[in-house]
Amino acid sequence: MISTDPFKFSKSNCTKLVFIVIAAFCISPWLSPPLALAIGIVFAQIGKNPFEKYNHKAIQWLLKLAVIGLGFGMSVTSALSAGKEGVYLSIASISLTLLLGLSLGKFFKIDKKIVQLISSGTAICGGSAIAAISPIIRAKPKQISVAVGVVFLLNSVALFIFPEIGHFLGLSQHQFGLWSAIAIHDTSSVVGAAQVYGNEALEIATTVKLARALWILPVSLLFAVFSGGSLKKVKIPYFIGIFILAIIVNTYLPAIHSVAPYIVSVSKSSLTLVLFLIGTTLSFSSMKKVGYKPLVLAIGVWVFISVLSLLIIVKTTH
């Protein structure tokens, strides 16, 4: 039944208009990633996202396209160097994070599937890992929403505090790029934090994070085997291959150099928009549903891997 109340109609249209204006402003060069996220969080408290049913898919596709676009700003040499340096740290941090998360979850008697989702999200790449693991372990919508809520909340905190910590400790671009790729959950927040810190940090963070994201596949297989899940549900992150192809094209095809800076610029703006969309999912009411145990678990594991990886990076790099 169509409402005849003009106030309701105008309020709905007004919310849509404000949302579209903010989204358009996000892709302008005047809005930083942290500010876009903050505006999204404020919007979530004042009004509901009028395009909520499209939000999840929009975040997924925009993030993938933006990351691929960033590949046009990198070279094969620098990407291989960053990927090689981060591989051992990635393996160690993923293993430790999963082991600690699953152990603490069992000790505190937290829902097993929520623990598996939070642990994999913290260990690998946030929402993408949760999306990959959830169908394998047959997680319910409520369990998925709790895990995603926790990860997105901590991502938001990381985006604001990591650059400040980096500057306070005097971390180099190289060190910060490595640290953010290892210690921040989601690719969008990794790139957002590194973008604020500097171009070298952005290049290193993006490369190491995507190399880390490849571990979705073996971890998915482990969950399928040891949790009685379905191997048919295992997904391969194909977009990472396209990202690598973009780096190769940018390195060996000089004709692309005239448009590459514009592609990179659009990609950075798209990531700012992604962070605004993520912010609109972080309402206080949705966070209340998370519960304190999963949140304490996620914070504990995150702080552990953040501090440990920082100490190792500071001692072994310059």
Side-chain angles (χ1 to χ4, degrees):
M1 185 176 179
I2 299 174
S3 173
T4 56
D5 187 338
F7 176 73
K8 287 185 178 179
F9 179 77
S10 63
K11 184 178 179 181
S12 173
N13 279 352
C14 183
T15 303
K16 289 180 180 178
L17 179 61
V18 170
F19 184 93
I20 292 169
V21 169
I22 296 173
F25 191 51
C26 285
I27 59 177
S28 73
W30 303 293
L31 200 64
S32 67
L35 185 55
L37 178 66
I39 291 172
I41 294 172
V42 171
F43 188 93
Q45 316 317 315
I46 298 173
K48 189 177 180 181
N49 184 338
F51 305 103
E52 187 175 16
K53 64 179 180 178
Y54 306 109
N55 208 54
H56 179 65
K57 284 191 175 181
I59 290 170
Q60 280 191 324
W61 281 104
L62 275 173
L63 178 58
K64 289 175 182 177
L65 291 171
V67 166
I68 291 169
L70 289 176
F72 288 98
M74 302 179 188
S75 69
V76 169
T77 304
S78 60
L80 285 174
S81 176
K84 183 179 178 181
E85 185 173 13
V87 66
Y88 298 113
L89 192 55
S90 292
I91 293 171
S93 63
I94 289 169
S95 302
L96 280 172
T97 302
L98 284 171
L99 182 62
L100 181 62
L102 295 173
S103 300
L104 287 176
K106 188 174 183 179
F107 179 79
F108 290 111
K109 298 179 181 179
I110 303 171
D111 182 287
K112 183 179 178 181
K113 291 182 180 179
I114 291 177
V115 171
Q116 290 173 336
L117 294 175
I118 290 175
S119 299
S120 57
T122 306
I124 309 172
C125 55
S128 299
I130 292 170
I133 300 297
S134 55
I136 295 171
I137 64 173
R138 300 183 180 91
K140 296 176 181 177
K142 184 178 180 181
Q143 294 166 324
I144 297 169
S145 65
V146 167
V148 170
V150 168
V151 166
F152 277 3
L153 177 63
L154 297 185
N155 273 330
S156 304
V157 173
L159 182 57
F160 289 109
I161 69 170
F162 266 55
E164 297 301 322
I165 293 173
H167 287 304
F168 178 77
L169 296 176
L171 298 183
S172 67
Q173 295 272 321
H174 182 84
Q175 289 173 326
F176 186 83
L178 271 177
W179 184 46
S180 59
I182 297 298
I184 300 178
H185 309 69
D186 213 65
T187 305
S188 57
S189 291
V190 170
V191 175
Q195 183 179 332
V196 170
Y197 210 78
N199 288 330
E200 184 186 347
L202 175 62
E203 185 172 337
I204 292 168
T206 305
T207 306
V208 174
K209 189 62 180 180
L210 291 184
R212 188 181 178 85
L214 288 171
W215 285 89
I216 287 177
L217 186 56
V219 171
S220 295
L221 290 171
L222 286 173
F223 274 113
V225 172
F226 293 103
S227 299
S230 172
L231 286 170
K232 294 180 181 178
K233 299 289 186 179
V234 175
K235 296 179 180 179
I236 299 173
Y238 292 106
F239 82 97
I240 297 176
I242 304 174
F243 166 76
I244 294 170
L245 181 61
I247 296 175
I248 294 171
V249 168
N250 185 60
T251 304
Y252 300 109
L253 193 63
I256 200 72
H257 293 171
S258 60
V259 295
Y262 299 102
I263 297 174
V264 173
S265 179
V266 170
S267 298
K268 289 179 179 180
S269 297
S270 298
L271 282 164
T272 303
L273 176 57
V274 167
L275 288 166
F276 165 68
L277 295 177
I278 289 173
T280 63
T281 68
L282 298 174
S283 65
F284 290 135
S285 58
S286 65
M287 288 299 104
K288 284 180 182 178
K289 298 175 184 176
V290 168
Y292 76 92
K293 279 190 176 182
L295 186 58
V296 170
L297 168 70
I299 292 173
V301 175
W302 180 48
V303 169
F304 168 79
I305 201 63
S306 296
V307 172
L308 181 62
S309 60
L310 177 61
L311 290 173
I312 293 171
I313 289 166
V314 168
K315 285 183 176 293
T316 58
T317 61
H318 300 287

